[in-house]
Amino acid sequence: MPKPSASKATGKTCRFISGVVEGFYGRPWTMEQRTELFQREKKWGLNTYLYAPKDDYKHRMYWRDLYSPEEAEKLVALITAAKKNGVDFIYAISPGLDITFSNPKEVATLKRKLDQVSGFGCSSFSLLFDDIETEMCPADKQAFSSFAHAQVAVTNEVFTHLGQPDTFLFCPTDYCAAFCTPNVSQSAYLHTVGENLLPGIDVLWTGPKVVSHHITVESIVEVSSVLKRAPVIWDNIHANDYDPQRIFMGPYKDRPTDLIPKLRGVLTNPNCEYHPNFVAIHTLATWCRSEGGRGGGQRDVEMSGGDDEAGSDPCYSPKRALTLALTDWLQEFLSTDQPGGPRPLNPTHLKKESSDEEPMQTDVGDPVYVPGSGDNPLFTAEPLTLDDLQLLSELFYLPYEHGSTARTMLTELDWLKAHREAVGDAETEMTAEWRSRAKCFDVMCVAVFTMFNRLSNAPNRSILYDLYNYICDIKSGVTLARAYVKQLGGQSRPSAQVMTDDPEPWGFRGGLSGEFQRMLPCHGNRDLFRHPPMTSVYSIRPFCPEDKTEIQKIHMEMQRGEAKAPAAALPALISDGLAGGQLSPSPNCGLVLEDERGVCGYALGLTDATAAALNNQRTLPGDFPSLVTMQLHPRVTDPAPARRMIGSLLSLMKTSGSRGVFCELRQGDRRMFDFYSKLGSFTTLKMAGLPQDVVAMGTSL
């Protein structure tokens, strides 16, 4: 760990503050989880816990209220547990929502609250003025020349009242460079804090932004000069309270260990969910310990050439720190000794004192079921592996960066989508490459499913429950992507879910929030995998004889998608003659759909299908003498142009004298069956001579 240093301002020896701040918005951690956290901090060499949960009413909203006897008992137990593990418990209070700085009664109330907590055995404190309005009330405007002067005056008074404790933290309202006007070096607010805050008080700082991608030595030197003291970093790199769909399990990174001598300390404000923070806290501890390697001492993570990125930190490797953390975390996953985990029944606990009572039924002594030769084999849960946790971390990495597997999956899906036209061609080098990359993408998808299944069956259920919503969400997204690639490659029939305006709810993401975001002009431009948004433009034009070749290609491709057997084994449809070119559509009864790449769909009609039906041994229903057929290439996922095209064709058929039309569909073509069903006008018809697995649908005109 970093060596203690002497404060230039006070002359006191100060140890490097390292640990965890519970400062997120959302459900606070339980007392049991906090106690377990103290044990981990002791084990990993961290020394501080900052108590600042935003949803503890008496920490923030009702800061004036004293704790009840029951609440006091819990805090005393927590502070005692921290001391037992050598962890400095810092109690933070956040009065900035509504305090009147110039009112002596308000300051006295604040002192009384902190005196109560001091009586619980707490000796370290923090005043937080983050995330509040900067407009002062009229009384404060008369008493103070600026908001910074008001905050500093109260902070200094409280600090002195408490006897100038060794650890006292102040969180400014401008707690990152992005909030400073016009910048850090010229910020009147920060200069006031630096010049007037008593030297024994340390200042919290999040870096260039609230959630900082990088924190550089130069930026810390600049803010330290203004504050006249080295800051304590409140690091939000693993915080997820701003987005309920994200969680971060990548390593602590993008903070060079050269920072350590320039800082008073680092506290991580991690995910709201307690258990997934194992990686964030473990890797921070490794980062803090790595600074000792600069003086030639033993490093926790030995380095060698060719590690992470070019120009990597000579004392710390995020990749290796992550492996160390995941290796330790795996043992917790596989253990049932964690709070909330399932425990095996002890038969001795099930004995009855009276022998004449019916014994409780248990599985103790039951014979083991052995399936027979023709029975299903027993389900066996595969054990979770280090590779599974590595994949989990890479899928839920960091706010500004996906892990390597996630980046590869996005890159491959983007390439497969952009080169999908290669699949329909004759076998070429491009076709072979497409299929090879599609196979690799499928392997990565299967790895995600395997990881999900193993996590779901891990013995430690407490960890699983914190992760479950996230791994379900990524499994759903990967499932949709895998089905899309298989469809493009002709390995499965086109999914009805791909082209519909009435999908299952898992087919569209984000609920109301997602709809708001999709309506905004810049939505998607901050995706970590950058790609310009694409909107297909479709045009519908009349059919001409030159379109037959392209229509036949689409027809054959969709037949391949419908059948696992060769196309010749599919039941014949009357419309096969229209799409295959043996029959010509009636005059003015054919339409073609085009996008930027060419023909991508067709709708063809016969106003009198009697002869074609007889040739196929069908008997037409009397009210439906006309035949229509429509098909779309799999790349068409928007149902709107399909509805426009069939609507236009039906109008043309009616103009040509038709009083009703029918279509034939193989039952395997769920995509088109769902499409016609959801139009609302087509209903199932009875037709003599229909082959098995063929459905007729019709509508009156």
Side-chain angles (χ1 to χ4, degrees):
M1 298 298 295
K3 298 177 181 179
S5 59
S7 168
K8 294 181 180 179
T10 65
K12 293 188 298 185
T13 299
C14 303
R15 68 173 178 173
F16 186 84
I17 295 172
S18 62
V20 179
V21 49
E22 184 181 346
F24 50 80
Y25 292 86
R27 177 184 295 175
W29 296 334
T30 66
M31 292 294 177
E32 292 76 13
Q33 289 171 337
R34 291 164 179 157
T35 301
E36 182 182 68
L37 171 64
F38 302 154
Q39 295 167 356
R40 288 180 176 176
E41 288 195 90
K42 178 181 180 181
K43 180 180 179 181
W44 298 337
L46 300 173
N47 58 38
T48 301
Y49 166 76
L50 175 58
Y51 177 88
K54 294 293 191 291
D55 286 338
D56 176 347
Y57 285 160
K58 294 184 179 180
H59 154 77
R60 185 173 175 88
M61 189 176 298
Y62 301 124
W63 61 270
R64 297 174 181 85
D65 295 354
L66 296 177
Y67 287 106
S68 68
E70 294 79 11
E71 294 166 335
E73 183 179 355
K74 291 180 179 179
L75 276 174
V76 168
L78 204 60
I79 293 166
T80 302
K83 289 182 177 178
K84 181 180 177 181
N85 288 279
V87 172
D88 186 17
F89 184 101
I90 304 176
Y91 177 83
I93 192 166
S94 185
L97 288 175
D98 58 2
I99 188 174
T100 300
F101 293 92
S102 57
N103 188 332
K105 292 182 179 179
E106 289 278 79
V107 179
T109 298
L110 180 58
K111 292 176 182 177
R112 183 185 67 161
K113 177 67 168 285
L114 295 179
D115 283 341
Q116 184 195 29
V117 178
S118 178
F120 299 160
C122 181
S123 58
S124 299
F125 299 91
S126 179
L127 276 183
L128 309 182
F129 295 106
D130 57 318
D131 302 339
I132 60 174
E133 294 295 328
T134 58
E135 183 68 20
M136 289 193 293
C137 67
D140 286 344
K141 287 181 179 178
Q142 289 185 354
F144 300 106
S145 58
S146 72
F147 199 39
H149 282 95
Q151 293 177 358
V152 167
V154 170
T155 302
N156 286 343
E157 185 173 345
V158 170
F159 176 65
T160 302
H161 170 79
L162 292 171
Q164 300 194 3
D166 289 341
T167 302
F168 193 97
L169 306 181
F170 167 83
C171 183
T173 304
D174 292 358
Y175 56 80
C176 66
F179 289 176
C180 296
T181 304
N183 52 49
V184 170
S185 63
Q186 297 176 293
S187 166
Y189 176 94
L190 288 189
H191 275 287
T192 299
V193 170
E195 292 165 3
N196 295 280
L197 198 66
L198 290 176
I201 301 173
D202 292 303
V203 179
L204 292 162
W205 183 252
T206 65
K209 300 167 61 178
V210 177
V211 181
S212 295
H213 188 179
H214 301 274
I215 300 178
T216 65
V217 171
E218 292 75 18
S219 70
I220 294 303
V221 169
E222 179 184 37
V223 73
S224 298
S225 174
V226 176
L227 293 175
K228 303 187 185 307
R229 69 203 77 199
V232 176
I233 296 297
W234 171 314
D235 208 326
N236 289 316
I237 192 63
H238 285 95
N240 72 335
D241 55 355
Y242 54 84
D243 188 343
Q245 290 185 307
R246 285 194 275 178
I247 194 168
F248 303 112
M249 290 176 279
Y252 192 73
K253 69 189 296 283
D254 296 317
R255 287 97 171 99
T257 53
D258 288 337
L259 280 171
I260 294 176
K262 308 291 185 183
L263 296 172
R264 175 73 172 88
V266 176
L267 299 172
T268 179
N269 179 38
N271 299 286
C272 299
E273 297 83 359
Y274 169 73
H275 291 287
N277 289 320
F278 192 100
V279 171
I281 302 169
H282 193 292
T283 56
L284 171 64
T286 302
W287 182 85
C288 291
R289 292 194 302 270
S290 67
E291 198 270 343
R294 296 182 184 281
Q298 178 65 36
R299 298 173 187 167
D300 290 282
V301 185
E302 289 297 333
M303 302 294 295
S304 62
D307 193 55
D308 295 325
E309 301 89 5
S312 60
D313 194 317
C315 292
Y316 174 75
S317 162
K319 182 178 180 181
R320 297 187 182 188
L322 177 62
T323 301
L324 286 175
L326 295 178
T327 301
D328 286 351
W329 200 21
L330 179 61
Q331 301 310 309
E332 292 206 1
F333 265 104
L334 301 180
S335 170
T336 58
D337 294 332
Q338 303 303 311
R343 301 176 187 273
L345 290 174
N346 185 343
T348 61
H349 295 166
L350 304 175
K351 293 180 180 179
K352 299 292 183 179
E353 293 183 4
S354 175
S355 60
D356 58 356
E357 293 184 20
E358 287 292 329
M360 180 184 294
Q361 291 187 352
T362 73
D363 61 358
V364 177
D366 284 354
V368 177
Y369 170 72
V370 179
S373 59
D375 297 336
N376 279 327
L378 290 175
F379 172 79
T380 303
E382 296 181 352
L384 192 68
T385 68
L386 183 60
D387 286 342
D388 294 322
L389 292 188
Q390 189 76 44
L391 176 59
L392 177 70
S393 171
E394 291 179 356
L395 297 178
F396 300 97
Y397 203 62
L398 290 170
Y400 297 100
E401 181 182 358
H402 292 308
S404 59
T405 299
R407 293 196 303 270
T408 300
M409 292 184 76
L410 289 169
T411 300
E412 290 304 296
L413 179 59
D414 182 65
W415 189 92
L416 292 167
K417 180 181 176 183
H419 296 84
R420 56 192 181 272
E421 72 279 358
V423 184
D425 300 337
E427 286 296 323
T428 63
E429 288 186 8
M430 179 62 77
T431 305
E433 181 182 1
W434 195 98
R435 297 199 181 281
S436 174
R437 294 177 74 157
K439 184 177 180 180
C440 292
F441 181 78
D442 195 71
V443 169
M444 289 186 283
C445 292
V446 171
V448 174
F449 305 149
T450 301
M451 177 268 291
F452 173 87
N453 292 332
R454 290 173 177 171
L455 275 174
S456 299
N457 290 289
N460 194 316
R461 313 308 287 173
S462 298
I463 305 177
L464 171 67
Y465 298 150
D466 273 357
L467 292 170
Y468 197 72
N469 288 344
Y470 299 102
I471 61 175
C472 279
D473 187 63
I474 194 63
K475 176 176 178 282
S476 176
V478 171
T479 298
L480 292 172
R482 186 192 190 205
Y484 176 67
V485 171
K486 282 184 172 292
Q487 177 183 318
L488 291 181
Q491 296 171 268
S492 63
R493 59 177 186 264
S495 169
Q497 282 295 322
V498 174
M499 189 195 69
T500 178
D501 55 3
D502 185 27
E504 293 284 0
W506 56 80
F508 52 93
R509 321 297 288 173
L512 178 61
S513 175
E515 292 193 42
F516 279 127
Q517 293 178 41
R518 286 188 288 273
M519 291 178 69
L520 301 178
C522 294
H523 176 62
N525 70 351
R526 296 303 300 171
D527 287 348
L528 302 188
F529 182 79
R530 305 294 174 81
H531 198 286
M534 295 178 61
T535 301
S536 296
V537 178
Y538 299 98
S539 62
I540 299 172
R541 62 168 176 80
F543 164 85
C544 61
E546 290 77 13
D547 294 321
K548 286 186 178 181
T549 300
E550 293 301 318
I551 289 175
Q552 288 172 2
K553 283 184 179 180
I554 296 174
H555 175 62
M556 295 301 296
E557 182 168 350
M558 301 312 292
Q559 280 193 322
R560 288 197 304 270
E562 286 181 50
K564 295 180 181 178
L570 292 170
L573 305 180
I574 301 174
S575 57
D576 288 343
L578 270 176
Q582 294 83 15
L583 296 174
S584 296
S586 298
N588 300 319
C589 291
L591 297 171
V592 169
L593 182 70
E594 287 185 316
D595 61 10
E596 70 279 1
R597 291 162 53 193
V599 175
C600 57
Y602 59 85
L604 308 174
L606 280 176
T607 53
D608 185 359
T610 305
L614 288 175
N615 290 338
N616 286 271
Q617 300 178 341
R618 310 276 209 280
T619 301
L620 296 182
D623 293 333
F624 304 94
S626 304
L627 170 70
V628 295
T629 182
M630 189 186 79
Q631 194 55 269
L632 301 170
H633 193 278
R635 69 175 182 262
V636 180
T637 59
D638 183 356
R643 288 198 301 268
R644 291 199 303 271
M645 186 164 61
I646 193 65
S648 299
L649 178 62
L650 295 180
S651 296
L652 292 171
M653 301 283 284
K654 184 176 182 179
T655 302
S656 298
S658 175
R659 62 181 184 275
V661 301
F662 75 95
C663 64
E664 291 181 338
L665 302 168
R666 298 182 183 89
Q667 288 186 350
D669 191 359
R670 296 299 307 175
R671 186 189 196 211
M672 297 311 301
F673 183 80
D674 284 1
F675 173 77
Y676 281 111
S677 298
K678 290 173 181 175
L679 284 175
S681 57
F682 278 78
T683 57
T684 304
L685 303 176
K686 292 184 178 180
M687 183 183 296
L690 275 181
Q692 187 178 4
D693 297 330
V694 173
V695 177
M697 303 183 74
T699 183
S700 299
L701 300 178

